[in-house]
Amino acid sequence: MGRGLVNRLLALLAAFAALALPGMARAEDGYDLWLRYAPLDDGMAADDAAALGPVTSASAPTPTIIAARSELERGLAELLDGHEPAGRGIVLGLARDLDGAAAREAATLEGQPAGAYRIARLADGRILIAAQDDIGLLYGAFAFLRHLGAGEPVSTIDDISAPAFSLRIIDHWGNPSGLVERGYSGRSIFDWWHLPDRLDPRMIDYARAEASIGINGVVVNNVNAKAYVLEPRYIAKLRRLADAWRPYGIRVYLTARFSAPMELGATGTADPLDPAVRQWWKDKADEIYAAIPDFGGFLVKANSEGQPGPQDYGRTHADGANMMAAALGDRGVVLWRAFVYSAEDSTDRAKQAYNEFVPLDGKFADNVILQVKNGPVDFQPREPFHPMFGAMPHTKLMLEGQITKEYLGFATHLAFLAPLWKEVITADTGHGGVVAQNLVGMAGVANTGSDRNWSGSHFDQANWYAFGRLAWDPRMSSGNIAQEWAAQTFSRDPGFLAEVVPMMLGSRQAVVDYMTPLGLAHQMGTGHHYGPAPWICDLARPEWNPCYYSKADAGGIGFDRTATGSDALAQYAPTVAAQWRDPKAMDEDYLLWFHHLPWDFKTQSGRALWPELVHRYDRGVAEVDAMAATWASLAPNVDEQRFEDTSEFLAIQQREARWWRDASIAYWQSVNHLPLPEGAAPPAHSLDWYEALSFPDAPAD
Ligand code: BDP
């Protein structure tokens, strides 16, 4: 009998057993995400479970309160796995509808922003979930289930929480055709073709998942947008989604193509100062708001990578953004992307966004928010924080992170990204405060798709989860987020968590090490960004080439961004620039980002740069081997399908980490003509072999 058949029979048996014996491990495919509400009997005191009584609401039912209540009932039924809740009960209530001790607890929320909630145990034994608005009750319900799901005893649950940012948004890069740009988990989750007549029930599970981590806005279409999504037939589709998501506190946003009025045949120009163009956008906004009164607004990618924009008419980003902002009025916001670099500009690409936007500080309308990528180039495994953060005190900024792993091994490689985002949001800008203090919101590029497990891999669910949690509370530690997620998603067993959490926390550094150590960047294959291609140097635009970023030659390696080079360093506040100026004293994670150094430059380890580079590649490969070994040891804690899925991906990652290491080393050697450091294994193949690999079928290009 083949292994596949045996596995299938075993899975069937397990499914039957799970039906027969409540509490036994269920067959799982990842669809339920962190909301799987696995039975609590693994360690929950009987008394404690008994405290979980029936859910009542002190406030009149609204769609959001009904959703909160039904989520609690569903969650508790599964957590208690058939045991009757026998406690005094759980009461949901808006502050204004509560009295006595409950009202006093709810009063602690005064002055807190929309969505804040309070969870407390009342003296009479009831559990109170209170808020000042309906959505706060839903967030509170999810928070209560999260505490339980993560294994916290009911008796210690006491929580008051409010979102740090008012805008917590997910950006989808799917096209109406269903293809997702940089999406590695199947096709788009949106069934545009059948909307508005059919609403995929998955849209409700999607909204539950987003609300459970506090996401309150979703941009439904790609930044490289089609003009026709602004046509009435798409507004009808959008309206159906907006109506379905409203109870979950999710506002819909659209990416608007700047040239839309012209492309849709209404005007002869898209000049933002042209009265007919301005009127068209105003009418369009009115039309959208008539259908969707809480429409969030427009996301715009303008004058970037070939997209149209105000500069096509000699106008500034501010002219363009303000024109759209005027059309929306106080009904919504314009999320104007700062990801720009120009075909005509020979300036260091890392400097261009700052150069274009910082002089416009103070010129943007109140409802314009600049959406700035975490780093100055493009979602690399590691970049220093974007110099625009902190440099535009009179402009609202929002951070854009990429949850989908375009440059970090797609969905296949296990890389937990909370440490990447934490590095950025906790970075001191040198202008007063850390990056997070300079933001009004966070937007994450989605990694969800039509795959059964939503994210392409089980561990990529953790990145979706982490992004939402950080957008709610940027002070959370990566470790806490990993722990919460893994306990809810896989197992609350302390032995399991003690292994899996450190594995997750080290995983992103491993990717940095085997792909682009010591501050290298953008060494990926052309277009699809799959695998190593440091040798590419003949593409039309200089900044498309990996060699542009490495500047590797016989004399050394790295991009000189000090005063002797592009001086990108000068875009940072003096205290920040100072910490990166001296290659001998700085944090070496950014070494070759800022400096071009000879191969024999002495690094802090005492090794010369060349052996240090090789050492880091080896460290990355070894870390992935260790991750695979850790995971193998966790088989008893994980259901069969998710265990196997993850094991198979880790095996690919082990192979691809070696490929990255070997191909990179083979190429650097062809440039520096240096022997391998003592003890280092030679690449498995010749450089020619690596260079000849081609992947016209790599996904999502
Ligand atoms: C790059 C992606 C490209 C996006 C672009 C963007 O390769 O697909 O369109 O960013 O953010 O990382 O606009």
Side-chain angles (χ1 to χ4, degrees), residues 173 181-182 184 222-224 301 304-305 307 337 339 341 349 373 377-380 400 402 406-407 445 522 527 529 700-701:
W173 281 6
E181 185 160 332
R182 314 307 180 182
Y184 312 101
N222 194 354
V223 284
N224 300 314
K301 173 175 177 176
S304 167
E305 298 187 328
Q307 296 296 312
R337 297 182 81 231
F339 177 70
Y341 62 98
R349 174 173 164 187
K373 286 191 182 182
V377 169
D378 191 11
F379 298 141
Q380 294 304 298
E400 180 179 303
Q402 199 183 41
E406 173 182 356
Y407 294 98
V445 180
H522 226 303
H529 300 149
D701 185 358

